[in-house]
Amino acid sequence: MKVEEIRELMQEMAQTGVAELQYEEGGVALHLCTKDAPVRSVKDEAVRPAGEEPVRSAEEEAVGPVKDEAVKKEAPSGEQTGKGQLVKSPLVGIFYTAPAPDQPAYVKAGDKVKKGQVLGLIEAMKLMNEVEAECEGTVTEILAENEQMVEYGQPLFRIG
């Protein structure tokens, strides 16, 4: 898939309000999602040839089928919990705690943060995406390791 095709898909998603799209072809998987679009999901079934079964990972096989309600509950970033607010990954990629390997981390446990403050980065398709605090508070936990592959909706920080 070429970059122009991906850009066209992104524009189409923005125009139609589709929040998430998964596509796989020839061993290349593409997962696009928006964080502020209305929740309306188009799964990879929409682009898979008729009669072809979806490919499931070993983890999905072990967990079993996921109900739509479970996905809707897990996906939103900034979920409030009894121990603070979770800041979740807005996309799939590699998580970085610092802007460069030779620079200090954006935040560490115990730091006070303001809404909109950069907490970390996620690299996806050679682009760096900032992960920002969605509320004021204190970083009580950093839930992902530097240079770790993270999934969409995976908790990265807990702010209390």
Side-chain angles (χ1 to χ4, degrees):
M1 183 169 261
K2 296 180 181 176
V3 174
E4 284 303 314
E5 294 172 316
I6 295 170
R7 285 189 181 131
E8 288 175 21
L9 282 173
M10 291 169 58
Q11 289 174 345
E12 188 70 26
M13 286 176 66
Q15 291 172 354
T16 60
V18 173
E20 184 174 0
L21 172 71
Q22 293 181 353
Y23 179 75
E24 187 171 342
E25 180 180 2
V28 175
L30 177 66
H31 180 207
L32 300 173
C33 62
T34 60
K35 65 179 183 180
D36 53 6
V39 178
R40 203 169 58 139
S41 181
V42 175
K43 302 276 185 192
D44 57 346
E45 287 84 1
V47 293
R48 187 177 34 255
E52 195 175 300
E53 286 300 312
V55 178
R56 293 175 50 117
S57 69
E59 183 179 281
E60 289 173 322
E61 291 293 338
V63 172
V66 177
K67 302 234 185 238
D68 284 341
E69 298 86 38
V71 172
K72 288 178 187 172
K73 287 179 186 172
E74 182 183 341
S77 186
E79 180 179 306
Q80 187 70 33
T81 66
K83 297 179 182 177
Q85 184 169 356
L86 292 177
V87 177
K88 295 184 177 185
S89 176
L91 65 158
V92 175
I94 299 173
F95 173 71
Y96 296 100
T97 57
D102 60 340
Q103 294 185 349
Y106 285 105
V107 294
K108 57 187 179 306
D111 286 354
K112 293 199 181 296
V113 295
K114 295 182 179 180
K115 184 175 182 175
Q117 182 177 337
V118 176
L119 304 174
L121 297 172
I122 297 179
E123 179 184 5
M125 297 178 60
K126 302 288 183 193
L127 296 174
M128 294 300 199
N129 301 276
E130 294 180 340
V131 177
E132 297 178 351
E134 296 172 357
C135 65
E136 286 191 23
T138 303
V139 176
T140 57
E141 258 184 296
I142 300 175
L143 303 167
E145 297 293 321
N146 189 44
E147 298 183 8
Q148 174 185 343
M149 182 70 170
V150 294
E151 297 293 324
Y152 170 74
Q154 178 177 336
L156 302 174
F157 300 91
R158 185 182 312 274
I159 299 176

